[in-house]
Amino acid sequence: MLTVRAVAADSPAARGLLDEYFAMRAAGFPGGAYRTTYPDPAAFVPPAGVFVIAEDDAGAARGCGGIRRIPDGPSGLRYEVKHLFMQPSARGLGGGRIVLTALEAKAREFGAADLVLDTHHSLDAAAGLYASSGFAAIPPYNDNANATRWYGKPLT
């Protein structure tokens, strides 16, 4: 079973997972042009945002993700999901959904009208998770060079 807890985005556990995530994305990114950008820890401090890790029963960090406030959208207050990642050995166990559900709950707690995210079309499992969690394709809301798809979900 996985449990989720909030941590600083620059904590050792978060940094280790982000290092792994960025290395995997850079190694498998089409064209080899992945741009690594570590999150600004201040953007993930409540109520501006939150960063969480998913831990297994032994307390080992197995996944992570965060939300951060971005400029308001057409419906009002908007948060963005960032760096949702599960270690390969922890995939298929529902951990991605556990993390995403926790982040959505936090966004609601912070008063978000919408939750948005960007991703790359090569991440099929992520696209499936987002679709099954109620996210739908939206027009691009940023110029992230690593993204080819944008999704949103109304929370109000």
Side-chain angles (χ1 to χ4, degrees):
M1 168 170 266
L2 295 173
T3 57
V4 175
R5 70 178 175 96
V7 298
D10 59 353
S11 70
R15 185 62 185 230
L17 288 163
L18 290 169
D19 287 345
E20 187 175 345
Y21 168 69
F22 290 138
M24 289 179 68
R25 290 302 300 141
F29 198 74
Y34 187 79
R35 182 181 51 160
T36 298
T37 305
Y38 282 89
D40 172 8
F44 295 91
V45 175
V50 67
F51 199 87
V52 301
I53 58 170
E55 296 174 318
D56 64 19
D57 291 336
R62 305 300 305 273
C64 65
I67 57 168
R68 66 180 180 182
R69 182 155 182 210
I70 61 172
D72 289 353
S75 300
L77 189 62
R78 184 164 56 169
Y79 281 79
E80 178 184 40
V81 175
K82 293 300 294 179
H83 311 305
L84 183 59
F85 169 71
M86 294 302 297
Q87 291 177 326
S89 61
R91 293 180 186 160
L93 305 174
R97 186 170 310 282
I98 290 168
V99 171
L100 185 59
T101 299
L103 295 174
E104 183 177 326
K106 279 306 221 180
R108 287 180 190 280
E109 183 182 311
F110 295 153
D114 294 297
L115 191 57
V116 298
L117 59 93
D118 61 34
T119 190
H120 193 268
H121 66 271
S122 64
L123 298 173
D124 293 327
L129 171 63
Y130 301 139
S132 69
S133 298
F135 285 81
I138 61 172
Y141 61 88
N142 65 24
D143 61 357
N144 182 352
N146 296 328
T148 57
R149 294 181 179 164
W150 291 260
Y151 294 97
K153 179 177 181 177
L155 299 182
T156 55

